[in-house]
Amino acid sequence: MNIYIYLFLLFGAVFGLSTFSYRHIFSEGPHQAETGEGGSTLSSRVLWAMVCTFLWPIMVLTGLNSARILAKRKRQSIAVSAEPRL
């Protein structure tokens, strides 16, 4: 049973470390938030990895929702640009 818990936490940590630069999609919506003057720090990367370690299933669902919203906006912008102008 412990192996499943370890795999869950390991996958979450890897997910957190690999999605740090795209964290706006998973937590703040489809728009990227402003970064501070110092940019991304080690502490912010560690905090994001810790949050994702335990909550990665929720983060995946929110990421899918953001991807759906972005795809919908892209389709709408393509449809608007394809309309003939009078």
Side-chain angles (χ1 to χ4, degrees):
M1 183 60 153
N2 286 339
I3 190 72
Y4 297 116
I5 295 171
Y6 295 142
L7 288 175
F8 180 88
L9 295 176
L10 178 66
F11 182 81
V14 170
F15 177 81
L17 292 174
S18 64
T19 60
F20 177 74
S21 58
Y22 304 104
R23 66 188 181 274
H24 60 279
I25 295 174
F26 299 97
S27 64
E28 300 159 355
H31 300 290
Q32 191 165 5
E34 297 288 327
T35 56
E37 290 180 11
S40 61
T41 61
L42 179 62
S43 62
S44 62
R45 188 176 291 269
V46 168
L47 178 64
W48 178 252
M50 286 174 29
V51 167
C52 286
T53 298
F54 298 103
L55 299 176
W56 68 264
I58 296 170
M59 295 296 186
V60 168
L61 292 176
T62 58
L64 290 173
N65 184 45
S66 293
R68 183 186 59 84
I69 291 170
L70 290 173
K72 182 179 174 183
R73 285 184 188 168
K74 188 174 184 178
R75 281 193 312 268
Q76 287 175 346
S77 68
I78 290 172
V80 168
S81 65
E83 289 179 0
R85 298 182 186 224
L86 299 175

